[in-house]
Amino acid sequence: MAGTAYDDRDGYIWMDGEFVPWRDTKVHVLTHALHYASSVFEGERAYNGKIFRSLDHSRRLHNSARIMGFDIPYTVEQIEDVKREALAKSGLDSAYVRAIAWRGSEMMGVSAQQNSIHLAVAVWHWGDYFADKMKGIRMTHADWRRPAPDTAPCHAKAAGLYMICTLSKHAAERDGYADALMLDYRGQVAEATGANIFFVRDGALHTPTPDCFLNGLTRQTAIKLAQQRQLEVIERAIMPDELATFSECFITGSAAEITPVAEIGAHTYKPGQISEALVNDYSALVNGKLEVAL
C-alpha cells in the first residue's frame, strides 16, 4: 500500500519562521484550510542531500497560491533557504520534503480575505512509493473524474483537488489494486490519483495533454529524458478504448518517481525496455550521474 508513516519523536518542522519540534506544532481547529481546503503544497524528494528541482517546486508553490487568491509571505528564495535548512536539520541525505501554505483562522466562513497566510516545511524519510516498482503496479478504474478547467483551479497544486484522488485510491486499495486511472470530464484518459501517466506504442510515448490536471515536474522530466534518447513523445487526447493498443505503461510523480504499470483493469502491460531505460535514467539524473537540460 503506497504512502508513508513517519517517526515524529525527534523531528522538527519549520513553521512561520522557526523550527518547532514535530509534536509541538499547532494549527487552530478553526483554520480556514481545514474547513474550506484553502491550502497549496509541494511534494519533493531529496537525493544525496540535494532536493531535486527544488527551485521549480518553490516557484510552483507561489503560483498555486496566486491561483488560489493569496500571496505567500515568503519569497521563493526564502523558501529555498528554509527547505535546505530543514533538510540539513533532519539529518537525512535522501528524504521527502513537504512545503505547504494555507489560510489561517481569523475569519470563519467561505470568505476569508483577511486571514493570515502560513507556511510550513516538513522533512521525513520516505522510501519507494510502490514496492518492487519494476514488477509493475496493478491499477483499476476510478469512478471519479478530473473536473473541467472552468469548475476547479486545475493548474494549482491545491489540497482540495485531491479529495477525489483519495476516494479513488482508497477504493482501488480495497479491491487489491495499487492505484486507479482517472478519466477527465470529457471521458478522456487523464492521470493516476497522484501521478501523470504515459503509454508506449511502436517505440513512441503517448501521454494525455495536461489541460485539466497538473503538468507534473516529474512528467516534464520524463519527457526530457525520453527526448534525449531520441524517443518520440506525443501529447494528445487518449480515449479509454485505446488502452488495449499500448505495449507499456508507466506513471510519473515526485513520490512515485517513474513506476511501470502492469495492469489497468482488463488491460495488461509488460514493463519493457523503454520503461526500464527511463526508470534507470531518472535514477541516474536525480543522483547526479546524468545531465539533462530541464
Side-chain angles (χ1 to χ4, degrees):
M1 195 175 293
T4 179
Y6 39 76
D7 185 347
D8 63 0
R9 289 176 298 178
D10 301 314
Y12 287 84
I13 292 178
W14 186 94
M15 190 171 185
D16 292 336
E18 62 179 339
F19 281 97
V20 181
W22 196 298
R23 289 184 174 182
D24 293 342
T25 55
K26 293 180 174 63
V27 176
H28 199 289
V29 71
L30 294 183
T31 192
H32 194 267
L34 179 62
H35 294 260
Y36 297 100
S38 54
S39 64
V40 295
F41 70 95
E42 286 295 317
E44 312 172 42
R45 277 192 185 269
Y47 302 86
N48 302 314
K50 184 178 180 180
I51 302 170
F52 183 61
R53 301 198 68 167
S54 179
L55 183 58
D56 292 324
H57 281 287
S58 296
R59 287 171 173 165
R60 188 172 67 180
L61 185 70
H62 260 261
N63 187 58
S64 293
R66 283 192 289 270
I67 293 173
M68 291 291 288
F70 64 84
D71 292 318
I72 297 173
Y74 299 92
T75 66
V76 167
E77 292 74 20
Q78 287 174 318
I79 296 173
E80 285 292 284
D81 290 341
V82 166
K83 289 193 295 184
R84 283 190 291 267
E85 189 176 356
L87 179 61
K89 195 172 184 66
S90 75
L92 299 170
D93 287 329
S94 296
Y96 186 80
V97 181
R98 171 59 56 94
I100 183 168
W102 70 95
R103 284 194 175 96
S105 58
E106 291 83 358
M107 297 176 64
M108 175 48 61
V110 173
S111 177
Q113 297 189 52
Q114 303 306 314
N115 285 28
S116 57
I117 305 301
H118 300 268
L119 177 71
V121 175
V123 176
W124 67 92
H125 171 72
W126 193 346
D128 286 342
Y129 193 62
F130 297 104
D132 193 14
K133 66 169 59 178
M134 282 310 303
K135 180 180 178 181
I137 63 170
R138 297 176 64 241
M139 296 177 60
T140 185
H141 296 274
D143 291 332
W144 297 93
R145 294 190 176 192
R146 302 308 305 170
D150 59 354
T151 62
C154 61
H155 297 300
K157 194 170 177 65
L161 295 174
Y162 285 80
M163 175 181 63
I164 56 175
C165 300
T166 296
L167 291 170
S168 299
K169 191 167 179 65
H170 284 183
E173 291 177 342
R174 282 194 297 269
D175 290 338
Y177 295 92
D179 209 338
L181 176 67
M182 303 184 75
L183 304 182
D184 67 15
Y185 65 102
R186 297 162 295 201
Q188 298 174 6
V189 172
E191 59 179 350
T193 60
N196 295 124
I197 194 162
F198 288 78
F199 301 93
V200 177
R201 180 198 292 158
D202 298 328
L205 296 185
H206 297 253
T207 187
T209 303
D211 55 2
C212 66
F213 55 87
L214 205 63
N215 181 12
L217 292 174
T218 310
R219 176 186 185 275
Q220 297 170 36
T221 301
I223 289 173
K224 291 289 187 180
L225 290 171
Q227 290 171 338
Q228 181 155 300
R229 284 187 169 270
Q230 305 301 310
L231 296 172
E232 183 181 11
V233 180
I234 304 167
E235 297 182 81
R236 64 177 180 86
I238 298 176
M239 300 306 297
D241 60 9
E242 293 185 66
L243 293 179
T245 69
F246 300 114
S247 58
E248 298 181 49
C249 176
F250 59 86
I251 61 172
T252 63
S254 293
E257 301 170 299
I258 296 181
T259 297
V261 175
E263 176 184 330
I264 301 178
H267 307 291
T268 58
Y269 309 95
K270 182 176 177 58
Q273 292 183 347
I274 291 178
S275 296
E276 184 174 6
L278 292 177
V279 167
N280 292 336
D281 285 353
Y282 187 79
S283 178
L285 176 65
V286 298
N287 285 289
K289 299 176 181 178
L290 178 67
E291 291 187 6
V292 176
L294 299 174

